[in-house]
Short mmCIF file of all heavy atoms in Angstrom, two decimals:
data_model
loop_
_atom_site.label_atom_id
_atom_site.label_comp_id
_atom_site.label_asym_id
_atom_site.label_seq_id
_atom_site.Cartn_x
_atom_site.Cartn_y
_atom_site.Cartn_z
N TYR A 116 169.88 51.10 62.95
CA TYR A 116 171.20 51.48 63.47
C TYR A 116 171.92 50.25 64.04
O TYR A 116 173.09 50.02 63.76
CB TYR A 116 171.04 52.57 64.54
CG TYR A 116 172.32 52.91 65.25
CD1 TYR A 116 173.30 53.68 64.63
CD2 TYR A 116 172.55 52.44 66.54
CE1 TYR A 116 174.49 53.97 65.29
CE2 TYR A 116 173.74 52.73 67.19
CZ TYR A 116 174.70 53.49 66.56
OH TYR A 116 175.88 53.79 67.21
N ARG A 117 171.21 49.46 64.84
CA ARG A 117 171.84 48.33 65.52
C ARG A 117 172.14 47.15 64.59
O ARG A 117 172.98 46.33 64.91
CB ARG A 117 170.94 47.85 66.66
CG ARG A 117 170.88 48.84 67.81
CD ARG A 117 169.97 48.33 68.90
NE ARG A 117 169.85 49.28 69.99
CZ ARG A 117 168.90 49.25 70.89
NH1 ARG A 117 167.97 48.30 70.84
NH2 ARG A 117 168.86 50.14 71.85
N THR A 118 171.44 47.04 63.49
CA THR A 118 171.65 45.89 62.60
C THR A 118 172.44 46.24 61.34
O THR A 118 172.71 45.37 60.53
CB THR A 118 170.30 45.28 62.16
OG1 THR A 118 169.54 46.28 61.46
CG2 THR A 118 169.49 44.77 63.34
N SER A 119 172.83 47.50 61.19
CA SER A 119 173.42 47.97 59.93
C SER A 119 174.70 47.24 59.53
O SER A 119 174.98 47.11 58.34
CB SER A 119 173.67 49.47 59.98
OG SER A 119 174.61 49.77 61.00
N LYS A 120 175.46 46.75 60.48
CA LYS A 120 176.72 46.10 60.14
C LYS A 120 176.62 44.57 60.15
O LYS A 120 177.58 43.88 59.87
CB LYS A 120 177.81 46.55 61.11
CG LYS A 120 178.17 48.02 60.92
CD LYS A 120 179.16 48.48 61.97
CE LYS A 120 179.53 49.92 61.83
NZ LYS A 120 178.46 50.85 61.98
N SER A 121 175.45 44.04 60.45
CA SER A 121 175.28 42.58 60.57
C SER A 121 175.09 41.93 59.21
O SER A 121 174.31 42.40 58.38
CB SER A 121 174.07 42.27 61.46
OG SER A 121 173.86 40.88 61.49
N THR A 122 175.78 40.82 59.02
CA THR A 122 175.59 40.02 57.81
C THR A 122 174.91 38.70 58.16
O THR A 122 174.78 37.83 57.32
CB THR A 122 176.95 39.73 57.13
OG1 THR A 122 177.78 39.03 58.08
CG2 THR A 122 177.63 41.00 56.69
N HIS A 123 174.49 38.56 59.41
CA HIS A 123 173.93 37.31 59.92
C HIS A 123 172.40 37.36 60.00
O HIS A 123 171.78 36.58 60.70
CB HIS A 123 174.53 37.03 61.31
CG HIS A 123 174.41 35.61 61.74
ND1 HIS A 123 175.14 34.60 61.17
CD2 HIS A 123 173.65 35.04 62.69
CE1 HIS A 123 174.83 33.46 61.75
NE2 HIS A 123 173.93 33.69 62.67
N ARG A 124 171.79 38.31 59.30
CA ARG A 124 170.34 38.48 59.36
C ARG A 124 169.77 38.33 57.96
O ARG A 124 169.69 39.30 57.21
CB ARG A 124 170.00 39.84 59.96
CG ARG A 124 170.54 40.00 61.38
CD ARG A 124 170.28 41.38 61.92
NE ARG A 124 170.94 41.61 63.18
CZ ARG A 124 170.42 41.33 64.38
NH1 ARG A 124 169.23 40.81 64.46
NH2 ARG A 124 171.09 41.59 65.47
N PRO A 125 169.34 37.11 57.63
CA PRO A 125 168.89 36.84 56.26
C PRO A 125 167.78 37.75 55.76
O PRO A 125 167.75 38.11 54.59
CB PRO A 125 168.41 35.38 56.32
CG PRO A 125 169.10 34.79 57.50
CD PRO A 125 169.31 35.92 58.47
N LEU A 126 166.86 38.13 56.62
CA LEU A 126 165.74 38.96 56.17
C LEU A 126 166.17 40.38 55.78
O LEU A 126 165.43 41.08 55.10
CB LEU A 126 164.65 39.02 57.25
CG LEU A 126 163.93 37.70 57.55
CD1 LEU A 126 162.92 37.89 58.68
CD2 LEU A 126 163.25 37.14 56.32
N LEU A 127 167.37 40.78 56.23
CA LEU A 127 167.83 42.14 55.91
C LEU A 127 168.81 42.19 54.75
O LEU A 127 169.33 43.24 54.42
CB LEU A 127 168.49 42.78 57.15
CG LEU A 127 167.57 43.06 58.32
CD1 LEU A 127 168.31 43.79 59.42
CD2 LEU A 127 166.34 43.85 57.87
N GLN A 128 169.04 41.06 54.11
CA GLN A 128 169.96 41.04 52.96
C GLN A 128 169.19 41.47 51.71
O GLN A 128 169.04 40.73 50.75
CB GLN A 128 170.58 39.65 52.81
CG GLN A 128 171.32 39.15 54.04
CD GLN A 128 172.32 40.15 54.61
OE1 GLN A 128 173.17 40.66 53.89
NE2 GLN A 128 172.20 40.46 55.89
N THR A 129 168.70 42.71 51.76
CA THR A 129 167.92 43.27 50.66
C THR A 129 168.52 44.62 50.28
O THR A 129 169.40 45.12 50.97
CB THR A 129 166.45 43.51 51.10
OG1 THR A 129 166.43 44.56 52.10
CG2 THR A 129 165.82 42.26 51.65
N GLY A 130 168.01 45.20 49.23
CA GLY A 130 168.48 46.51 48.81
C GLY A 130 168.03 47.63 49.72
O GLY A 130 168.63 48.70 49.75
N ASP A 131 166.96 47.41 50.51
CA ASP A 131 166.42 48.46 51.36
C ASP A 131 166.07 47.90 52.74
O ASP A 131 164.91 47.62 53.04
CB ASP A 131 165.17 49.06 50.69
CG ASP A 131 164.69 50.33 51.37
OD1 ASP A 131 165.22 50.68 52.45
OD2 ASP A 131 163.77 50.96 50.83
N PRO A 132 167.09 47.73 53.60
CA PRO A 132 166.84 47.18 54.94
C PRO A 132 165.84 48.00 55.75
O PRO A 132 165.05 47.45 56.50
CB PRO A 132 168.22 47.19 55.60
CG PRO A 132 169.20 47.27 54.50
CD PRO A 132 168.51 47.97 53.36
N ARG A 133 165.84 49.34 55.55
CA ARG A 133 164.89 50.18 56.31
C ARG A 133 163.44 49.81 55.96
O ARG A 133 162.60 49.64 56.85
CB ARG A 133 165.11 51.67 56.03
CG ARG A 133 164.08 52.57 56.74
CD ARG A 133 164.24 54.04 56.38
NE ARG A 133 165.49 54.60 56.83
CZ ARG A 133 165.70 55.06 58.07
NH1 ARG A 133 164.73 55.03 58.95
NH2 ARG A 133 166.87 55.56 58.40
N ALA A 134 163.15 49.65 54.68
CA ALA A 134 161.80 49.28 54.26
C ALA A 134 161.44 47.89 54.79
O ALA A 134 160.30 47.67 55.23
CB ALA A 134 161.69 49.30 52.73
N THR A 135 162.40 46.98 54.79
CA THR A 135 162.16 45.63 55.32
C THR A 135 161.85 45.69 56.80
O THR A 135 160.87 45.08 57.27
CB THR A 135 163.38 44.72 55.07
OG1 THR A 135 163.63 44.66 53.66
CG2 THR A 135 163.16 43.33 55.62
N LEU A 136 162.66 46.43 57.54
CA LEU A 136 162.43 46.56 58.99
C LEU A 136 161.08 47.21 59.28
O LEU A 136 160.37 46.80 60.20
CB LEU A 136 163.56 47.36 59.64
CG LEU A 136 164.88 46.63 59.83
CD1 LEU A 136 165.99 47.59 60.22
CD2 LEU A 136 164.73 45.52 60.86
N LYS A 137 160.73 48.22 58.50
CA LYS A 137 159.44 48.91 58.69
C LYS A 137 158.29 47.95 58.47
O LYS A 137 157.34 47.89 59.26
CB LYS A 137 159.34 50.10 57.73
CG LYS A 137 158.13 51.00 57.96
CD LYS A 137 158.21 52.21 57.03
CE LYS A 137 157.11 53.20 57.22
NZ LYS A 137 155.77 52.70 57.36
N LYS A 138 158.38 47.14 57.40
CA LYS A 138 157.33 46.17 57.10
C LYS A 138 157.23 45.11 58.21
O LYS A 138 156.13 44.76 58.66
CB LYS A 138 157.62 45.49 55.75
CG LYS A 138 156.39 45.34 54.89
CD LYS A 138 156.59 44.89 53.47
CE LYS A 138 157.93 44.41 53.03
NZ LYS A 138 157.98 44.06 51.60
N LEU A 139 158.38 44.61 58.64
CA LEU A 139 158.40 43.61 59.71
C LEU A 139 157.82 44.18 61.00
O LEU A 139 157.04 43.52 61.69
CB LEU A 139 159.83 43.11 59.96
CG LEU A 139 160.46 42.25 58.87
CD1 LEU A 139 161.93 42.01 59.17
CD2 LEU A 139 159.72 40.94 58.71
N PHE A 140 158.19 45.42 61.31
CA PHE A 140 157.70 46.07 62.52
C PHE A 140 156.18 46.21 62.50
O PHE A 140 155.52 45.95 63.51
CB PHE A 140 158.36 47.45 62.69
CG PHE A 140 157.92 48.18 63.92
CD1 PHE A 140 158.49 47.89 65.15
CD2 PHE A 140 156.93 49.15 63.86
CE1 PHE A 140 158.08 48.55 66.29
CE2 PHE A 140 156.51 49.81 64.99
CZ PHE A 140 157.09 49.51 66.21
N GLU A 141 155.64 46.63 61.36
CA GLU A 141 154.19 46.82 61.25
C GLU A 141 153.43 45.52 61.52
O GLU A 141 152.33 45.54 62.09
CB GLU A 141 153.83 47.38 59.88
CG GLU A 141 154.22 48.84 59.72
CD GLU A 141 154.13 49.35 58.29
OE1 GLU A 141 153.77 48.57 57.37
OE2 GLU A 141 154.42 50.54 58.08
N VAL A 142 154.01 44.40 61.12
CA VAL A 142 153.36 43.09 61.33
C VAL A 142 153.64 42.57 62.74
O VAL A 142 152.73 42.09 63.43
CB VAL A 142 153.85 42.06 60.28
CG1 VAL A 142 153.36 40.67 60.60
CG2 VAL A 142 153.43 42.48 58.89
N ARG A 143 154.86 42.68 63.18
CA ARG A 143 155.28 42.04 64.44
C ARG A 143 154.89 42.80 65.70
O ARG A 143 154.59 42.19 66.72
CB ARG A 143 156.79 41.82 64.44
CG ARG A 143 157.24 40.79 63.42
CD ARG A 143 158.75 40.69 63.39
NE ARG A 143 159.20 39.68 62.45
CZ ARG A 143 160.47 39.40 62.24
NH1 ARG A 143 161.42 40.06 62.91
NH2 ARG A 143 160.80 38.46 61.38
N ASP A 144 154.93 44.13 65.66
CA ASP A 144 154.66 44.92 66.86
C ASP A 144 153.31 44.56 67.51
O ASP A 144 153.27 44.27 68.71
CB ASP A 144 154.75 46.42 66.56
CG ASP A 144 154.47 47.27 67.78
OD1 ASP A 144 155.24 47.21 68.75
OD2 ASP A 144 153.45 48.00 67.76
N PRO A 145 152.21 44.51 66.75
CA PRO A 145 150.93 44.15 67.39
C PRO A 145 150.94 42.71 67.94
O PRO A 145 150.31 42.44 68.97
CB PRO A 145 149.89 44.28 66.28
CG PRO A 145 150.56 44.88 65.11
CD PRO A 145 152.03 44.87 65.34
N LEU A 146 151.66 41.82 67.28
CA LEU A 146 151.72 40.43 67.75
C LEU A 146 152.52 40.34 69.05
O LEU A 146 152.15 39.60 69.96
CB LEU A 146 152.33 39.53 66.67
CG LEU A 146 151.55 39.45 65.36
CD1 LEU A 146 152.31 38.64 64.32
CD2 LEU A 146 150.16 38.87 65.58
N TYR A 147 153.61 41.08 69.13
CA TYR A 147 154.37 41.11 70.38
C TYR A 147 153.53 41.70 71.51
O TYR A 147 153.54 41.20 72.63
CB TYR A 147 155.67 41.92 70.22
CG TYR A 147 156.84 41.03 69.89
CD1 TYR A 147 157.38 41.03 68.61
CD2 TYR A 147 157.39 40.18 70.83
CE1 TYR A 147 158.43 40.20 68.28
CE2 TYR A 147 158.44 39.34 70.52
CZ TYR A 147 158.96 39.36 69.25
OH TYR A 147 160.00 38.54 68.92
#
Side-chain angles (χ1 to χ4, degrees):
Y116 173 76
R117 290 180 182 163
T118 60
S119 63
K120 292 175 181 62
S121 176
T122 58
H123 199 71
R124 299 176 188 271
L126 294 178
L127 294 185
Q128 303 310 308
T129 67
D131 191 352
R133 176 185 295 277
T135 301
L136 284 169
K137 187 175 183 316
K138 223 171 9 183
L139 290 172
F140 180 82
E141 288 169 359
V142 172
R143 293 176 178 180
D144 180 64
L146 298 175
Y147 265 107

